[in-house]
Amino acid sequence: MTRFTPTTTVPETARRNGLVRSGTRTVPEEVPIAFSYGGTSHAVMMGTPADIEDFAVGFSLTEGIITNVDQIAAIEPIEDERGIDMQITLVDDAADALRVRRRHMAGPVGCGLCGIESIEQAVREVPDVSKVALTISYGDIVKAVALLSDAQVLNHETRAVHGAGFYIPAEGLIAVREDVGRHNALDKLCGALIRSGHRGPEGVVAVTSRLSVEMVQKAAILGSSVLIAISAPTALAIRTAEEAGMTLVALVRGDDFEIFTHPQRITPGSIADVA
């Protein structure tokens, strides 16, 4: 739990249908959320202060700091008036691996190549999900996005946050997480899933944002072979999904959508019964 709330109410002056009125609006909060391992700060993200333990676990997974939730011994949020510091304690092997990684990332200032580790991380290889035995129908695509939209509680209040959901054919949408940041929402979803014992190969990741390469990387690390979005993909996201064996579906609008990679996982199926 955190004393920070995910939303707040602010005064506004609105013009609607030619009329001006004073009122209030609910908006999402955005606070610094730091991830510290062994007492040392690793990264600070601006995010929505909700589901922050899921965020800590999911970030640790998608950043390659852990490979499973059992490698985290404890998570303690430390708060002040400015933000939240997630103090994460790793088990010995994972803590040792992170210390080695930090030493390799340290380099001389001004060398001209100091960013090489960050560049390699940005274009890192992603896990191969081509062998995942999952097929979905046209109806599954439409249903996953429709259910995700319906389940976005924070977005219904604010109209200002992204959502990420996990959909299993024949079961439906089993988890949803939201955040002002699209990457954060997906990290929170990854954390929620591995904490609950679900595995990425079981289902489909659906998001309300555009598909950048980072979204493909995170979904592949989770182990999901299908990534669906309501917006468009980037060229690098398409190339990365193609190489990873991931099915990329985007621009889902009602019954319409576009398939960019590995369409063999998608079978014709009824859309009429989705609503």
Side-chain angles (χ1 to χ4, degrees):
M1 285 294 291
T2 172
R3 66 179 179 81
F4 290 96
T5 58
T7 63
T8 190
T9 301
V10 298
E12 67 162 2
T13 300
R15 185 178 186 274
R16 299 282 189 274
N17 300 318
L19 300 176
V20 177
R21 63 168 180 82
S22 296
T24 60
R25 168 172 279 277
T26 301
V27 296
E29 283 287 0
E30 186 177 19
V31 303
I33 301 173
F35 300 107
S36 298
Y37 299 88
T40 301
S41 179
H42 183 85
V44 180
M45 311 295 288
M46 298 303 298
T48 304
D51 302 307
I52 55 175
E53 289 202 0
D54 289 339
F55 194 6
V57 174
F59 176 87
S60 300
L61 176 73
T62 62
E63 288 299 307
I65 295 168
I66 64 170
T67 56
N68 63 76
V69 70
D70 293 336
Q71 292 175 303
I72 294 180
I75 301 174
E76 181 183 5
I78 306 297
E79 302 179 15
D80 62 23
E81 67 278 2
R82 297 166 298 177
I84 308 168
D85 185 358
M86 302 299 290
Q87 293 281 342
I88 303 164
T89 303
L90 301 174
V91 299
D92 290 344
D93 289 349
D96 291 343
L98 181 57
R99 280 192 288 270
V100 170
R101 174 175 165 182
R102 282 173 172 159
R103 284 198 298 271
H104 285 313
M105 290 182 69
V109 175
C111 66
L113 293 174
C114 297
I116 189 65
E117 291 287 350
S118 296
I119 292 172
E120 289 177 350
Q121 180 72 3
V123 295
R124 57 185 164 167
E125 291 186 10
V126 297
D128 184 355
V129 295
S130 62
K131 304 302 183 185
V132 174
L134 177 73
T135 59
I136 62 171
S137 68
Y138 293 163
D140 285 322
I141 293 170
V142 175
K143 187 175 182 180
V145 171
L147 290 175
L148 175 58
S149 177
D150 290 343
Q152 282 194 260
V153 176
L154 284 180
N155 198 51
H156 293 163
E157 288 186 68
T158 65
R159 298 299 176 190
V161 297
H162 290 293
F166 193 69
Y167 173 89
I168 298 179
E171 292 187 33
L173 195 69
I174 65 165
V176 175
R177 292 295 183 268
E178 297 177 273
D179 198 279
V180 290
R182 56 196 167 89
H183 305 110
N184 298 348
L186 185 47
D187 276 342
K188 287 180 178 181
L189 178 69
C190 291
L193 291 171
I194 68 169
R195 292 179 75 195
S196 65
H198 286 287
R199 299 173 59 253
E202 297 174 24
V204 171
V205 172
V207 298
T208 61
S209 64
R210 67 183 174 87
L211 290 178
S212 60
V213 67
E214 301 98 327
M215 305 297 275
V216 173
Q217 290 169 339
K218 291 176 187 293
I221 290 168
L222 180 64
S224 181
S225 61
V226 181
L227 178 57
I228 300 172
I230 66 170
S231 193
T234 66
L236 182 56
I238 294 170
R239 290 195 296 270
T240 304
E242 180 66 41
E243 293 170 2
M246 179 182 292
T247 300
L248 213 60
V249 183
L251 296 159
V252 183
R253 298 287 192 274
D255 294 350
D256 299 329
F257 50 83
E258 298 180 22
I259 305 168
F260 288 86
T261 59
H262 298 282
Q264 69 275 7
R265 285 198 183 89
I266 302 174
T267 61
S270 175
I271 293 177
D273 298 330
V274 168

